[in-house]
Amino acid sequence: DQELCGSSGATLMPNIVSPGLPPYTYLWSTNATSPSITVTTPGTNTYTVTVSDDCGTTATASAMVTIEP
């Protein structure tokens, strides 16, 4: 979890732990499909990403981010 005061945002990126077979696909709770996202919404928000590898194995992780105005 991350708390940012006076910040304009944060970049979130999952750690990929082996074994996994690239290429990886990403699906964030924001509907983004990139390996990382930049979040700028003030307040406390939870972001979730599901990562899938080439064999179809998936893993999901979440992070709570608080951005104070």
Side-chain angles (χ1 to χ4, degrees):
D1 297 347
Q2 199 171 36
E3 186 169 331
L4 306 169
C5 183
S7 176
S8 60
T11 299
L12 305 179
M13 170 183 324
N15 290 325
I16 303 298
V17 179
S18 292
L21 184 63
Y24 300 104
T25 59
Y26 305 85
L27 180 59
W28 292 88
S29 53
T30 62
N31 290 320
T33 57
S34 56
S36 65
I37 59 170
T38 299
V39 296
T40 58
T41 304
T44 300
N45 299 285
T46 300
Y47 299 92
T48 303
V49 62
T50 300
V51 181
S52 301
D53 74 1
D54 199 42
C55 292
T57 303
T58 63
T60 301
S62 296
M64 185 183 317
V65 179
T66 301
I67 300 177
E68 301 292 339

